[in-house]
PDB file of all heavy atoms in Angstrom:
ATOM      1  N   PHE A 375     -38.018  27.792  62.067  1.00 97.00           N
ATOM      2  CA  PHE A 375     -39.428  27.882  62.429  1.00 97.00           C
ATOM      3  C   PHE A 375     -40.299  27.110  61.437  1.00 97.00           C
ATOM      4  O   PHE A 375     -41.220  26.393  61.837  1.00 97.00           O
ATOM      5  CB  PHE A 375     -39.869  29.347  62.481  1.00 97.00           C
ATOM      6  CG  PHE A 375     -41.338  29.517  62.741  1.00 97.00           C
ATOM      7  CD1 PHE A 375     -41.847  29.379  64.023  1.00 97.00           C
ATOM      8  CD2 PHE A 375     -42.217  29.781  61.688  1.00 97.00           C
ATOM      9  CE1 PHE A 375     -43.210  29.507  64.268  1.00 97.00           C
ATOM     10  CE2 PHE A 375     -43.577  29.917  61.920  1.00 97.00           C
ATOM     11  CZ  PHE A 375     -44.073  29.779  63.209  1.00 97.00           C
ATOM     12  N   LEU A 376     -40.039  27.256  60.144  1.00 98.00           N
ATOM     13  CA  LEU A 376     -40.844  26.573  59.133  1.00 98.00           C
ATOM     14  C   LEU A 376     -40.723  25.055  59.248  1.00 98.00           C
ATOM     15  O   LEU A 376     -41.729  24.329  59.156  1.00 98.00           O
ATOM     16  CB  LEU A 376     -40.424  27.037  57.734  1.00 98.00           C
ATOM     17  CG  LEU A 376     -40.808  28.476  57.364  1.00 98.00           C
ATOM     18  CD1 LEU A 376     -40.165  28.890  56.062  1.00 98.00           C
ATOM     19  CD2 LEU A 376     -42.323  28.625  57.290  1.00 98.00           C
ATOM     20  N   VAL A 377     -39.525  24.575  59.443  1.00 97.00           N
ATOM     21  CA  VAL A 377     -39.331  23.125  59.587  1.00 97.00           C
ATOM     22  C   VAL A 377     -40.026  22.611  60.844  1.00 97.00           C
ATOM     23  O   VAL A 377     -40.711  21.583  60.824  1.00 97.00           O
ATOM     24  CB  VAL A 377     -37.833  22.777  59.604  1.00 97.00           C
ATOM     25  CG1 VAL A 377     -37.621  21.308  59.985  1.00 97.00           C
ATOM     26  CG2 VAL A 377     -37.204  23.055  58.237  1.00 97.00           C
ATOM     27  N   ASP A 378     -39.851  23.329  61.953  1.00 97.00           N
ATOM     28  CA  ASP A 378     -40.503  22.914  63.202  1.00 97.00           C
ATOM     29  C   ASP A 378     -42.017  22.974  63.089  1.00 97.00           C
ATOM     30  O   ASP A 378     -42.725  22.227  63.785  1.00 97.00           O
ATOM     31  CB  ASP A 378     -40.030  23.804  64.366  1.00 97.00           C
ATOM     32  CG  ASP A 378     -38.575  23.575  64.727  1.00 97.00           C
ATOM     33  OD1 ASP A 378     -38.025  22.536  64.305  1.00 97.00           O
ATOM     34  OD2 ASP A 378     -37.988  24.437  65.411  1.00 97.00           O
ATOM     35  N   SER A 379     -42.538  23.855  62.227  1.00 97.00           N
ATOM     36  CA  SER A 379     -43.983  23.998  62.057  1.00 97.00           C
ATOM     37  C   SER A 379     -44.549  22.999  61.056  1.00 97.00           C
ATOM     38  O   SER A 379     -45.759  22.980  60.816  1.00 97.00           O
ATOM     39  CB  SER A 379     -44.331  25.425  61.619  1.00 97.00           C
ATOM     40  OG  SER A 379     -43.919  26.360  62.598  1.00 97.00           O
ATOM     41  N   GLY A 380     -43.670  22.193  60.425  1.00 97.00           N
ATOM     42  CA  GLY A 380     -44.137  21.160  59.518  1.00 97.00           C
ATOM     43  C   GLY A 380     -44.374  21.609  58.092  1.00 97.00           C
ATOM     44  O   GLY A 380     -45.244  21.058  57.403  1.00 97.00           O
ATOM     45  N   VAL A 381     -43.618  22.619  57.602  1.00 98.00           N
ATOM     46  CA  VAL A 381     -43.779  23.063  56.227  1.00 98.00           C
ATOM     47  C   VAL A 381     -43.527  21.894  55.276  1.00 98.00           C
ATOM     48  O   VAL A 381     -42.664  21.051  55.516  1.00 98.00           O
ATOM     49  CB  VAL A 381     -42.827  24.242  55.923  1.00 98.00           C
ATOM     50  CG1 VAL A 381     -41.370  23.780  55.854  1.00 98.00           C
ATOM     51  CG2 VAL A 381     -43.230  24.949  54.645  1.00 98.00           C
ATOM     52  N   GLY A 382     -44.302  21.857  54.187  1.00 98.00           N
ATOM     53  CA  GLY A 382     -44.193  20.733  53.262  1.00 98.00           C
ATOM     54  C   GLY A 382     -42.871  20.694  52.520  1.00 98.00           C
ATOM     55  O   GLY A 382     -42.226  19.644  52.430  1.00 98.00           O
ATOM     56  N   MET A 383     -42.448  21.846  51.979  1.00 98.00           N
ATOM     57  CA  MET A 383     -41.179  21.952  51.259  1.00 98.00           C
ATOM     58  C   MET A 383     -40.487  23.239  51.683  1.00 98.00           C
ATOM     59  O   MET A 383     -41.096  24.319  51.612  1.00 98.00           O
ATOM     60  CB  MET A 383     -41.403  21.965  49.741  1.00 98.00           C
ATOM     61  CG  MET A 383     -41.898  20.650  49.172  1.00 98.00           C
ATOM     62  SD  MET A 383     -40.652  19.340  49.173  1.00 98.00           S
ATOM     63  CE  MET A 383     -39.676  19.780  47.754  1.00 98.00           C
ATOM     64  N   LEU A 384     -39.265  23.128  52.114  1.00 98.00           N
ATOM     65  CA  LEU A 384     -38.491  24.309  52.491  1.00 98.00           C
ATOM     66  C   LEU A 384     -37.845  24.881  51.234  1.00 98.00           C
ATOM     67  O   LEU A 384     -37.000  24.230  50.607  1.00 98.00           O
ATOM     68  CB  LEU A 384     -37.420  23.943  53.518  1.00 98.00           C
ATOM     69  CG  LEU A 384     -36.583  25.105  54.052  1.00 98.00           C
ATOM     70  CD1 LEU A 384     -37.452  26.079  54.846  1.00 98.00           C
ATOM     71  CD2 LEU A 384     -35.439  24.594  54.928  1.00 98.00           C
ATOM     72  N   ASN A 385     -38.246  26.078  50.866  1.00 98.00           N
ATOM     73  CA  ASN A 385     -37.707  26.734  49.672  1.00 98.00           C
ATOM     74  C   ASN A 385     -36.325  27.306  49.982  1.00 98.00           C
ATOM     75  O   ASN A 385     -36.185  28.128  50.881  1.00 98.00           O
ATOM     76  CB  ASN A 385     -38.654  27.851  49.234  1.00 98.00           C
ATOM     77  CG  ASN A 385     -38.418  28.297  47.808  1.00 98.00           C
ATOM     78  OD1 ASN A 385     -38.911  27.674  46.875  1.00 98.00           O
ATOM     79  ND2 ASN A 385     -37.673  29.375  47.630  1.00 98.00           N
ATOM     80  N   VAL A 386     -35.291  26.870  49.259  1.00 97.00           N
ATOM     81  CA  VAL A 386     -33.917  27.284  49.573  1.00 97.00           C
ATOM     82  C   VAL A 386     -33.189  27.717  48.314  1.00 97.00           C
ATOM     83  O   VAL A 386     -33.472  27.239  47.216  1.00 97.00           O
ATOM     84  CB  VAL A 386     -33.129  26.153  50.268  1.00 97.00           C
ATOM     85  CG1 VAL A 386     -33.805  25.757  51.577  1.00 97.00           C
ATOM     86  CG2 VAL A 386     -32.988  24.937  49.370  1.00 97.00           C
ATOM     87  N   ASP A 387     -32.251  28.625  48.501  1.00 95.00           N
ATOM     88  CA  ASP A 387     -31.370  29.034  47.416  1.00 95.00           C
ATOM     89  C   ASP A 387     -30.021  28.329  47.492  1.00 95.00           C
ATOM     90  O   ASP A 387     -29.407  28.059  46.467  1.00 95.00           O
ATOM     91  CB  ASP A 387     -31.167  30.551  47.441  1.00 95.00           C
ATOM     92  CG  ASP A 387     -32.416  31.304  47.014  1.00 95.00           C
ATOM     93  OD1 ASP A 387     -32.953  30.981  45.939  1.00 95.00           O
ATOM     94  OD2 ASP A 387     -32.876  32.187  47.747  1.00 95.00           O
ATOM     95  N   ASP A 388     -29.540  28.066  48.697  1.00 93.00           N
ATOM     96  CA  ASP A 388     -28.286  27.330  48.867  1.00 93.00           C
ATOM     97  C   ASP A 388     -28.613  25.931  49.371  1.00 93.00           C
ATOM     98  O   ASP A 388     -28.927  25.730  50.546  1.00 93.00           O
ATOM     99  CB  ASP A 388     -27.363  28.043  49.852  1.00 93.00           C
ATOM    100  CG  ASP A 388     -25.940  27.500  49.794  1.00 93.00           C
ATOM    101  OD1 ASP A 388     -25.781  26.268  49.860  1.00 93.00           O
ATOM    102  OD2 ASP A 388     -24.998  28.296  49.684  1.00 93.00           O
ATOM    103  N   VAL A 389     -28.532  24.966  48.485  1.00 95.00           N
ATOM    104  CA  VAL A 389     -28.953  23.603  48.822  1.00 95.00           C
ATOM    105  C   VAL A 389     -27.991  22.924  49.787  1.00 95.00           C
ATOM    106  O   VAL A 389     -28.397  22.099  50.613  1.00 95.00           O
ATOM    107  CB  VAL A 389     -29.126  22.757  47.545  1.00 95.00           C
ATOM    108  CG1 VAL A 389     -30.290  23.275  46.723  1.00 95.00           C
ATOM    109  CG2 VAL A 389     -27.848  22.742  46.704  1.00 95.00           C
ATOM    110  N   VAL A 390     -26.695  23.255  49.698  1.00 93.00           N
ATOM    111  CA  VAL A 390     -25.715  22.617  50.591  1.00 93.00           C
ATOM    112  C   VAL A 390     -25.898  23.104  52.019  1.00 93.00           C
ATOM    113  O   VAL A 390     -25.863  22.316  52.968  1.00 93.00           O
ATOM    114  CB  VAL A 390     -24.275  22.893  50.101  1.00 93.00           C
ATOM    115  CG1 VAL A 390     -23.254  22.376  51.110  1.00 93.00           C
ATOM    116  CG2 VAL A 390     -24.045  22.244  48.744  1.00 93.00           C
ATOM    117  N   GLU A 391     -26.101  24.400  52.202  1.00 93.00           N
ATOM    118  CA  GLU A 391     -26.346  24.934  53.545  1.00 93.00           C
ATOM    119  C   GLU A 391     -27.597  24.302  54.154  1.00 93.00           C
ATOM    120  O   GLU A 391     -27.640  24.002  55.343  1.00 93.00           O
ATOM    121  CB  GLU A 391     -26.525  26.447  53.488  1.00 93.00           C
ATOM    122  CG  GLU A 391     -25.255  27.209  53.172  1.00 93.00           C
ATOM    123  CD  GLU A 391     -25.497  28.707  53.099  1.00 93.00           C
ATOM    124  OE1 GLU A 391     -26.606  29.143  53.454  1.00 93.00           O
ATOM    125  OE2 GLU A 391     -24.574  29.441  52.695  1.00 93.00           O
ATOM    126  N   ALA A 392     -28.603  24.115  53.325  1.00 94.00           N
ATOM    127  CA  ALA A 392     -29.880  23.609  53.829  1.00 94.00           C
ATOM    128  C   ALA A 392     -29.820  22.136  54.221  1.00 94.00           C
ATOM    129  O   ALA A 392     -30.495  21.713  55.163  1.00 94.00           O
ATOM    130  CB  ALA A 392     -30.971  23.815  52.780  1.00 94.00           C
ATOM    131  N   THR A 393     -29.009  21.354  53.535  1.00 94.00           N
ATOM    132  CA  THR A 393     -29.059  19.905  53.745  1.00 94.00           C
ATOM    133  C   THR A 393     -27.858  19.319  54.483  1.00 94.00           C
ATOM    134  O   THR A 393     -27.992  18.269  55.125  1.00 94.00           O
ATOM    135  CB  THR A 393     -29.174  19.184  52.383  1.00 94.00           C
ATOM    136  OG1 THR A 393     -28.026  19.505  51.570  1.00 94.00           O
ATOM    137  CG2 THR A 393     -30.433  19.617  51.655  1.00 94.00           C
ATOM    138  N   ARG A 394     -26.701  19.965  54.400  1.00 91.00           N
ATOM    139  CA  ARG A 394     -25.501  19.348  54.989  1.00 91.00           C
ATOM    140  C   ARG A 394     -24.959  20.087  56.206  1.00 91.00           C
ATOM    141  O   ARG A 394     -24.303  19.484  57.044  1.00 91.00           O
ATOM    142  CB  ARG A 394     -24.388  19.267  53.927  1.00 91.00           C
ATOM    143  CG  ARG A 394     -24.706  18.318  52.785  1.00 91.00           C
ATOM    144  CD  ARG A 394     -23.573  18.287  51.786  1.00 91.00           C
ATOM    145  NE  ARG A 394     -23.907  17.536  50.595  1.00 91.00           N
ATOM    146  CZ  ARG A 394     -23.220  17.583  49.464  1.00 91.00           C
ATOM    147  NH1 ARG A 394     -22.141  18.360  49.379  1.00 91.00           N
ATOM    148  NH2 ARG A 394     -23.596  16.877  48.425  1.00 91.00           N
ATOM    149  N   TRP A 395     -25.211  21.389  56.303  1.00 87.00           N
ATOM    150  CA  TRP A 395     -24.657  22.152  57.412  1.00 87.00           C
ATOM    151  C   TRP A 395     -25.482  21.958  58.674  1.00 87.00           C
ATOM    152  O   TRP A 395     -26.707  21.755  58.613  1.00 87.00           O
ATOM    153  CB  TRP A 395     -24.617  23.639  57.088  1.00 87.00           C
ATOM    154  CG  TRP A 395     -23.358  24.072  56.414  1.00 87.00           C
ATOM    155  CD1 TRP A 395     -23.115  24.086  55.072  1.00 87.00           C
ATOM    156  CD2 TRP A 395     -22.159  24.534  57.047  1.00 87.00           C
ATOM    157  NE1 TRP A 395     -21.850  24.535  54.829  1.00 87.00           N
ATOM    158  CE2 TRP A 395     -21.230  24.818  56.022  1.00 87.00           C
ATOM    159  CE3 TRP A 395     -21.784  24.737  58.368  1.00 87.00           C
ATOM    160  CZ2 TRP A 395     -19.961  25.292  56.271  1.00 87.00           C
ATOM    161  CZ3 TRP A 395     -20.510  25.212  58.620  1.00 87.00           C
ATOM    162  CH2 TRP A 395     -19.611  25.492  57.596  1.00 87.00           C
ATOM    163  N   ASN A 396     -24.807  22.027  59.806  1.00 84.00           N
ATOM    164  CA  ASN A 396     -25.499  22.068  61.089  1.00 84.00           C
ATOM    165  C   ASN A 396     -25.951  23.509  61.312  1.00 84.00           C
ATOM    166  O   ASN A 396     -25.138  24.392  61.521  1.00 84.00           O
ATOM    167  CB  ASN A 396     -24.555  21.616  62.215  1.00 84.00           C
ATOM    168  CG  ASN A 396     -25.239  21.547  63.566  1.00 84.00           C
ATOM    169  OD1 ASN A 396     -26.214  22.252  63.828  1.00 84.00           O
ATOM    170  ND2 ASN A 396     -24.741  20.705  64.438  1.00 84.00           N
ATOM    171  N   TRP A 397     -27.253  23.742  61.257  1.00 87.00           N
ATOM    172  CA  TRP A 397     -27.764  25.113  61.335  1.00 87.00           C
ATOM    173  C   TRP A 397     -27.395  25.797  62.641  1.00 87.00           C
ATOM    174  O   TRP A 397     -27.298  27.017  62.693  1.00 87.00           O
ATOM    175  CB  TRP A 397     -29.289  25.105  61.182  1.00 87.00           C
ATOM    176  CG  TRP A 397     -29.761  24.646  59.836  1.00 87.00           C
ATOM    177  CD1 TRP A 397     -28.978  24.339  58.754  1.00 87.00           C
ATOM    178  CD2 TRP A 397     -31.105  24.450  59.415  1.00 87.00           C
ATOM    179  NE1 TRP A 397     -29.753  23.960  57.688  1.00 87.00           N
ATOM    180  CE2 TRP A 397     -31.066  24.012  58.064  1.00 87.00           C
ATOM    181  CE3 TRP A 397     -32.336  24.589  60.031  1.00 87.00           C
ATOM    182  CZ2 TRP A 397     -32.226  23.723  57.341  1.00 87.00           C
ATOM    183  CZ3 TRP A 397     -33.489  24.315  59.316  1.00 87.00           C
ATOM    184  CH2 TRP A 397     -33.434  23.887  57.984  1.00 87.00           C
TER     185      TRP A 397
END
Side-chain angles (χ1 to χ4, degrees):
F375 175 78
L376 289 171
V377 171
D378 291 344
S379 299
V381 71
M383 291 289 281
L384 183 65
N385 198 83
V386 300
D387 289 308
D388 194 310
V389 293
V390 173
E391 290 179 9
T393 60
R394 293 180 188 165
W395 271 89
N396 184 333
W397 295 355

